[in-house]
Amino acid sequence: MMGATEEQFEQARSRMSSLKTDPGNDVKLQIYALFKQATQGPCNTPKPGMLDFVNKVKWEAWRSLGAVPQDEARQKYCDLIGSLVAAEGGKAANGAAVPAGSGPAYETLQVTTEDDITTIKLNRPAKKNAITTEMYNDIIEALNQAAKDDSVLTVFTGAGDFYCSGNDLSNFTNIPEGGVQEQARRGGELLRKYVKAYIDFPKPLVAVVNGPAVGISVTLLGLFDLVYATDQASFHTPFSQLGQSAEGCSSYTFPKIMGPAKASEMLLFNKKLSAVQACELGLVTEVFPDSSFQSEVWTRLKAYAKLPPNSLSLSKQLIRSTEKTLLHQVNDAEVERLMERWTSDECFNAVMSFFQAKARL
Ligand code: COA
């Protein structure tokens, strides 16, 4: 994944100027910082004055990259532009772009197969990879395809600086004919199907947690076989804050993995964990420094993908088989509770205040 060529870098640069949609200030700052780091190396210019707001923010973004090597910054630049271009429906511009043998094209999901690894990348960086209804359906489809393809491992990751900000809260504001009850029923069916796809997934499933993770992207980690995280990742499940309740089988997997006392702190009291804390509690397999995260993780995964595929998937299925029925029951119970929560005043008020807080900014 590392080391874009000069040509790929130039190509990404020209594609950047042809983007039709504004990716938002945060993403633009990241692009700026990566470009400077790639072309000039670490930031060593003096900090702009306090009132020079724009240049100060740009300087801080560049400075925050620290000692990231130039070739790595160049690759990250290409990856980020590639994901923005792909989100607009174009072809990715990076070196690791959609290779032959890739599955169907999705609007906000980038699915590629390379080196015996199928990667499902959430590709909505401007919204921190929040999952829309369409994306839930696309991920289910991508997991079903990955279960059948020739790849040995399946990797789940995010584009940009976030892994995933969880359920897109605007899913709650599109109320269909039939009102909130019908909305909750449809949401519940989709969630049940979504979590089921993870419970039943037959091959080793790896999370490459490239940044902060929220909500369902955290709870589902209990159903992954390996979880690698950058030291910039965090893990947050603010369910009670949103008037909701746990999903993704976390009401069972979290107490099992980390013990009930720590699980309750996360699932009831919204405690946000750092990557190191999540690793100490057993939710994360290993934490890597952000500067070498992608190269270390992918080197390792490429080596794992050379192991005998049948042995890997049969062993995974053996481990899962002891509690598969239970996991489906847990999923059903969590979905039922959430369908009730989604129609509650507690949830309605919490979602409204998220959007009102935004409107006030
Ligand atoms: N649903 C809908 N939109 C979301 C979202 C979500 N879960 N998470 C982020 N976004 C949107 C923001 O509204 C914002 O949109 P805008 O640019 O049109 O205003 C954009 O993504 C960038 O997010 P922003 O809040 O500006 O970035 P941040 O770095 O300050 O904060 C989060 C990121 C994830 C901490 C913050 O957006 C957040 O708390 N989101 C809600 C997470 C959540 O509660 N998920 C459900 C869990 S059950």
Side-chain angles (χ1 to χ4, degrees):
M1 286 272 160
M2 302 302 297
T5 60
E6 269 313 320
E7 197 193 343
Q8 284 164 340
F9 185 64
E10 277 314 309
Q11 212 180 15
R13 214 178 141 181
S14 65
R15 286 182 190 229
M16 164 69 199
S17 49
S18 64
L19 283 178
K20 289 184 279 300
T21 25
D22 187 331
N25 284 342
D26 282 356
V27 177
K28 279 195 288 196
L29 272 176
Q30 266 180 60
I31 293 173
Y32 167 82
L34 288 169
F35 182 78
K36 294 295 270 186
Q37 191 88 2
T39 52
Q40 296 181 27
C43 172
N44 59 5
T45 58
K47 186 174 184 172
M50 220 175 78
L51 295 176
D52 191 0
F53 294 116
V54 174
N55 284 322
K56 191 163 146 276
V57 172
K58 286 164 88 175
W59 183 90
E60 277 162 357
W62 182 13
R63 184 84 172 184
S64 75
L65 292 180
V68 169
Q70 281 180 266
D71 62 347
E72 194 184 320
R74 199 161 59 194
Q75 181 64 51
K76 283 190 168 168
Y77 177 90
C78 291
D79 287 346
L80 183 51
I81 307 254
S83 64
L84 295 171
V85 172
E88 285 190 344
K91 282 195 172 55
N94 55 358
V98 193
S102 293
Y106 302 101
E107 202 168 319
T108 41
L109 209 60
Q110 194 177 315
V111 184
T112 52
T113 302
E114 211 177 348
D115 298 317
D116 296 317
I117 302 173
T118 290
T119 303
I120 301 174
K121 186 189 261 187
L122 297 174
N123 194 13
R124 210 181 161 222
K127 295 283 181 184
K128 310 291 182 196
N129 297 324
I131 309 176
T132 60
T133 300
E134 186 195 1
M135 285 162 83
Y136 281 113
N137 282 311
D138 287 349
I139 297 166
I140 294 170
E141 169 67 18
L143 284 171
N144 287 340
Q145 293 292 333
K148 288 185 279 190
D149 72 14
D150 293 337
S151 66
V152 179
L153 301 181
T154 301
V155 169
F156 199 84
T157 191
D161 60 346
F162 251 71
Y163 176 64
C164 173
S165 59
N167 189 26
D168 188 308
L169 295 174
S170 64
N171 291 342
F172 291 114
T173 56
N174 303 322
I175 304 200
E177 221 175 292
V180 286
Q181 296 293 344
E182 175 59 14
Q183 184 190 37
R185 195 193 60 76
R186 287 189 200 174
E189 273 327 298
L190 183 59
L191 176 64
R192 191 193 312 272
K193 208 169 146 200
Y194 185 66
V195 176
K196 185 176 183 303
Y198 289 84
I199 299 173
D200 291 335
F201 195 71
K203 298 177 184 177
L205 190 59
V206 182
V208 171
V209 185
N210 56 299
V214 186
I216 189 156
S217 69
V218 178
T219 55
L220 279 173
L221 294 176
L223 297 176
F224 279 68
D225 303 293
L226 276 179
V227 179
Y228 289 145
T230 152
D231 58 11
Q232 297 302 301
S234 55
F235 300 83
H236 194 200
T237 50
F239 296 123
S240 65
Q241 209 169 303
L242 289 164
Q244 301 189 31
S245 51
E247 24 67 335
C249 291
S250 60
S251 60
Y252 167 71
T253 58
F254 277 25
K256 187 183 78 158
I257 291 168
M258 57 184 85
K262 294 292 184 184
S264 300
E265 217 179 1
M266 283 191 83
L267 296 177
L268 302 185
F269 300 109
N270 314 303
K271 162 107 176 192
K272 191 202 272 191
L273 300 186
S274 67
V276 170
Q277 288 170 322
C279 191
E280 280 164 3
L281 292 179
L283 185 63
V284 165
T285 311
E286 192 170 336
V287 181
F288 298 81
D290 195 54
S291 56
S292 56
F293 177 59
Q294 297 288 347
S295 61
E296 287 195 58
V297 163
W298 286 103
T299 305
R300 197 174 300 187
L301 292 178
K302 281 178 194 171
Y304 286 172
K306 296 207 165 28
L307 290 165
N310 293 335
S311 171
L312 277 179
S313 56
L314 290 171
S315 298
K316 180 213 163 123
Q317 287 167 34
L318 201 56
I319 298 170
R320 178 60 42 96
S321 68
T322 58
E323 53 185 13
K324 202 165 183 176
T325 310
L326 177 60
L327 288 169
H328 285 303
Q329 285 166 359
V330 171
N331 183 26
D332 288 347
E334 288 176 344
V335 167
E336 200 169 317
R337 177 52 54 227
L338 263 174
M339 288 197 297
E340 175 272 323
R341 290 283 78 213
W342 287 332
T343 60
S344 72
D345 287 348
E346 287 180 349
C347 178
F348 178 83
N349 293 338
V351 172
M352 285 306 123
S353 48
F354 173 76
F355 287 108
Q356 272 160 12
K358 267 185 59 165
R360 275 198 298 274
L361 288 174

